[in-house]
Amino acid sequence: MCSDCGCGDPDVVPLEIQGRILADNDTNAGHNREHFAGAGVLTINLMGSPGAGKTAILEATARHQAGLRLAAIAGDLATDRDAARLERAGIPSRAITTGSACHLDARMVHHALHALPIAGVDVLFVENVGNLVCPAVYDLGQAANVVALAVTEGEDKPLKYPTMFLKADLVLLTKIDLLPHLDFDLAAVKDALARAMPEPRVIAVSAKTGEGVDEWLAWLAARRAALPAPTAGAAAHGHHDHGHGHGHEHGHDHSHAHDHGHAHDHGHGHGHDHGH
């Protein structure tokens, strides 16, 4: 459980304070959304359990994509390993280490954009912290929510964690190359998803064999084609230089740029309550 937001537990964070946290987050999410719209970039909030295969799917996306320009923000409690993997796969990436927070919020993403130019990017992936609860609650300004659900997790996850799947636009059923070795009922998981998702949409994929990746890419292309035309302004030029005096209630500023020679200028007026 996250000690910053309480994750819905009023004994940890009173509901009034939690409401203010979410309201502040929504304001920042709207700000992010304006930048994404201005740059004409499709932003995907990729969520799922630890080990669900989120990073592997993005690596496979980079291998199989045909001309799509990708970028990523990778969130984790500690280390920048996922962002480093994505860099090696050819995806310009920014790491956010949250310390104890079990999710990314809109302000963290906004701050990461200072060091990850999105000019010319077609798809920006925000690989959220591995968790099937809290990430679904925080709007990041994304265009769509995608949940990675590995066949190794069992068929009942959508029923046990309904909030995550209620807000999902797509579920990637990952690691399907392992199906011959598992006692896994595909019909059962699809039934569970149909109960949890308002409009069930599932693509079965394997990062190892590439099965289903073309269908995933086609889904991304369709979502990108549906975006409004980019708007004029700073975001359209990938410029994200704001002198905002943000009071950062989560207090996490552990983001790192990788291999692009980014200057790490953290003087953005972010007040940090926790020294992780």
Side-chain angles (χ1 to χ4, degrees), residues 5-268:
C5 68
C7 301
D9 188 345
D11 292 330
V12 177
V13 175
L15 293 178
E16 180 182 353
I17 295 175
Q18 187 183 63
R20 290 204 302 269
I21 290 171
L22 291 175
D24 178 71
N25 181 80
D26 289 346
T27 298
N28 283 282
H31 181 66
N32 290 346
R33 192 168 281 111
E34 290 175 1
H35 282 283
F36 300 145
V41 61
L42 175 68
T43 303
I44 301 295
N45 184 14
L46 179 60
M47 300 175 285
S49 302
K54 299 184 292 298
T55 307
I57 284 297
L58 296 186
E59 291 171 324
T61 302
R63 288 195 301 270
H64 292 265
Q65 60 82 24
L68 278 179
R69 294 160 297 184
L70 310 176
I73 294 170
D76 222 331
L77 270 68
T79 86
D80 58 1
R81 292 186 178 185
D82 288 348
R85 282 177 58 183
L86 296 176
E87 285 280 352
R88 291 193 293 271
I91 304 176
S93 301
R94 178 79 173 176
I96 300 176
T97 52
T98 65
S100 63
C102 51
H103 59 271
L104 296 180
D105 65 23
R107 197 186 298 277
M108 296 177 193
V109 171
H110 171 237
H111 187 57
L113 291 173
H114 284 272
L116 184 68
I118 57 175
V121 169
D122 296 317
V123 184
L124 171 66
F125 295 104
V126 180
E127 182 182 338
N128 220 309
V129 177
N131 186 340
L132 279 179
V133 184
C134 313
V137 178
Y138 284 78
D139 183 9
L140 307 178
Q142 71 274 11
N145 290 320
V146 175
V147 178
L149 174 64
V151 296
T152 51
E153 295 181 73
E155 304 96 341
D156 59 353
K157 288 298 183 293
L159 301 179
K160 295 172 70 173
Y161 300 91
T163 300
M164 175 63 68
F165 296 91
L166 175 66
K167 298 192 176 184
D169 297 289
L170 173 71
V171 169
L172 293 176
L173 190 62
T174 63
K175 305 186 182 183
I176 59 170
D177 52 285
L178 296 177
L179 283 174
H181 311 288
L182 300 171
D183 183 16
F184 184 86
D185 189 339
L186 276 173
V189 76
K190 289 181 178 180
D191 178 69
L193 289 168
R195 295 171 185 269
M197 297 175 68
E199 297 182 17
R201 180 76 171 90
V202 184
I203 298 177
V205 295
S206 168
K208 182 176 182 178
T209 68
E211 183 178 352
V213 175
D214 285 345
E215 187 179 355
W216 158 235
L217 288 170
W219 184 88
L220 289 172
R223 295 296 300 228
R224 185 166 179 271
L227 291 176
T231 57
H237 297 89
H239 184 68
H240 199 95
D241 183 14
H242 306 293
H244 301 316
H246 294 311
H248 201 320
E249 295 193 31
H250 286 273
H252 306 293
D253 183 18
H254 303 276
S255 49
H256 308 282
H258 295 278
D259 301 333
H260 292 288
H262 296 312
H264 296 273
D265 181 5
H266 300 296
H268 299 292

